[in-house]
Amino acid sequence: MATQTAPPKGAAPSTDDRPHRKIGFRQTLGRWDVKVSPYLYISPFFLLFAVVGLFPLLYTAWVSLHDWSLIGGQGDFVGLDNFTFVLGQAFFWKALRNTISIFLLSTVPQIIVALVIAAMLDANLRSKTFWRMGVLLPYVVAPVAVGLVFSKMFADGSGMINTMLGYVGIDPVGWHKDAFPAHIAIASMVNFRWTGYNALILLAAMQAIPRDLYEAATIDGATRVRQFFSITLPMVRPTMIFVILTSTIGGLQIFDEPRMYDQTGLGGSNGQWKTVTLYLYELGWNKQQLGRAAAVAWLLFLVIIVFALVNNWLTRKISSADDMSRSAKAARKQSRKNARTLERSMRRTSGSAVTAAAPTEVNPR
């Protein structure tokens, strides 16, 4: 049976007088629903962020350009004088140094320990839920309570830490008097609260790794340590980048722990542990210089952006280096395989040539 697909020659062209079908309102509404509804679903977050995040940020920039009083409100426009004043203060640079020191002492060990804890929790343990909930308990403790307890533990005269050091023959440490010991004590508070939280985030990423990879590595004879560095760490790298970025932002904004480390809350008698946020608080609420406090807030915002960009660049650099080394290994393996294949092919070709060139015996009959 043949099917006619074109009009026969000489036939009159067909005229389709039927009206074109119009798209109904419901179809138009359905198309708009598909296109617009995803933006409507996520719009509440951005609207809320615009009110409580973006507007305060821009308003703080406006305040930092004026002479602003807590009682009198907006004063004269001073331009960048507030920034010049803050950058010329030795206390600001000392507070920035203390902030970076506490950030490094808290973030780096925290992520390493969180990785180890997450790997241990990912193993086949009994009472998994109990252990996983246990590491989260310090996170639910109020920062004020943590600050009060740790300030007593790290007391210079009769603290528990100095007493324990005395048992092993170490002289008492000035945990409040000296800068670096104070940074260690404050960093220990941060690590106590946030290590378990980050461990659970990394644990969730580890549980998403296919178990076939570990089984294949075990059959190949890889140890647990080798599996951790060759399978676990590369697979949880995106989650690690997220944890590092959030820890960086939180570590540079640290306020509760240094504020509660002593009774005055001013960062020590000589500013030993005064952070940038404590300096901001002192300018804004103790000295009522809101314009200069807003300038400090914007400088801290820029410092956080710089650290976040450096973190992002470093993690991408490490990731690309790993990929390049992996590609180089694969290329070397493939070249060796090609060389062996070529060698076998040449041997077969030479063997065939020798066989063809060998003299054949002639039958005298």
Side-chain angles (χ1 to χ4, degrees):
M1 180 179 180
T3 303
Q4 184 175 355
T5 57
K9 292 182 179 180
S14 62
T15 55
D16 190 1
D17 297 334
R18 290 179 299 178
H20 294 287
R21 185 181 178 186
K22 294 183 179 179
I23 299 176
F25 176 73
R26 288 190 176 182
Q27 291 177 327
T28 305
L29 189 62
R31 289 184 180 180
W32 278 100
D33 182 32
V34 172
K35 292 181 179 178
V36 177
S37 58
Y39 299 101
L40 292 178
Y41 295 149
I42 62 174
S43 60
F45 167 78
F46 288 99
L47 291 175
L48 188 63
F49 173 76
V51 173
V52 302
L54 187 59
F55 172 72
L57 187 67
L58 298 177
Y59 193 72
T60 303
W62 176 258
V63 173
S64 67
L65 301 176
H66 292 79
D67 186 9
W68 209 285
S69 171
L70 184 62
I71 300 176
Q74 181 177 351
D76 298 332
F77 179 78
V78 295
L80 299 177
D81 288 350
N82 288 329
F83 291 91
T84 305
F85 173 82
V86 170
L87 293 175
Q89 295 296 308
F91 268 115
F92 171 75
W93 296 106
K94 192 172 186 177
L96 183 61
R97 185 196 65 192
N98 293 339
T99 303
I100 295 174
S101 175
I102 295 172
F103 157 69
L104 292 177
L105 288 172
S106 60
T107 302
V108 177
Q110 181 187 135
I111 294 175
I112 295 174
V113 175
L115 263 175
V116 175
I117 293 175
M120 295 173 66
L121 292 176
D122 193 38
N124 190 17
L125 297 175
R126 292 183 178 180
S127 306
K128 291 181 181 178
T129 306
F130 171 78
W131 298 112
R132 291 171 185 175
M133 293 299 296
V135 299
L136 192 62
L137 280 179
Y139 177 71
V140 302
V141 180
V144 175
V146 175
L148 290 174
V149 171
F150 274 74
S151 65
K152 298 299 180 184
M153 289 173 57
F154 285 96
D156 289 348
S158 57
M160 187 181 73
I161 303 298
N162 275 341
T163 303
M164 294 176 65
L165 292 177
Y167 289 148
V168 294
I170 298 177
D171 296 333
V173 179
W175 298 106
H176 286 74
K177 184 179 66 177
D178 300 327
F180 189 66
H183 297 175
I184 295 176
I186 295 172
S188 64
M189 298 183 210
V190 180
N191 293 332
F192 172 75
R193 290 195 66 234
W194 291 96
T195 301
Y197 177 82
N198 290 327
L200 286 186
I201 294 177
L202 294 171
L203 174 63
M206 289 180 185
Q207 290 186 331
I209 300 175
R211 297 297 159 182
D212 299 344
L213 299 177
Y214 292 107
E215 294 175 0
T218 304
I219 293 173
D220 290 342
T223 61
R224 295 294 299 271
V225 177
R226 180 67 176 173
Q227 294 177 19
F228 178 77
F229 284 102
S230 299
I231 298 176
T232 306
L233 281 184
M235 296 296 285
V236 302
R237 185 181 298 147
T239 307
M240 282 187 61
I241 294 173
F242 168 77
V243 171
I244 290 171
L245 286 178
T246 54
S247 300
T248 301
I249 296 171
L252 293 174
Q253 293 177 338
I254 184 171
F255 178 79
D256 296 332
E257 288 82 1
R259 171 76 175 167
M260 298 304 300
Y261 192 51
D262 69 347
Q263 294 180 351
T264 60
L266 297 177
S269 58
N270 196 26
Q272 302 96 309
W273 65 86
K274 184 193 293 290
T275 60
V276 176
T277 50
L278 281 180
Y279 182 59
L280 186 156
Y281 183 86
E282 180 182 350
L283 282 178
W285 303 107
N286 293 346
K287 298 182 180 180
Q288 299 186 2
Q289 299 173 355
L290 293 183
R292 292 170 179 174
V296 174
W298 255 92
L299 290 173
L300 178 60
F301 175 67
L302 296 177
V303 169
I304 291 174
I305 288 179
V306 170
F307 270 81
L309 292 176
V310 170
N311 273 340
N312 190 28
W313 178 77
L314 279 177
T315 50
R316 287 180 179 273
K317 200 74 175 177
I318 294 172
S319 174
S320 61
D322 289 347
D323 294 340
M324 288 177 63
S325 62
R326 199 177 298 117
S327 302
K329 289 180 181 177
R332 286 197 296 270
K333 186 177 179 181
Q334 185 65 31
S335 65
R336 287 197 295 268
K337 185 178 178 181
N338 294 337
R340 287 195 296 270
T341 305
L342 180 62
E343 186 179 358
R344 284 196 294 269
S345 176
M346 291 179 65
R347 285 178 181 174
R348 280 198 297 273
T349 305
S350 60
S352 302
V354 169
T355 304
T360 55
E361 294 182 357
V362 179
N363 192 353
R365 295 180 181 177

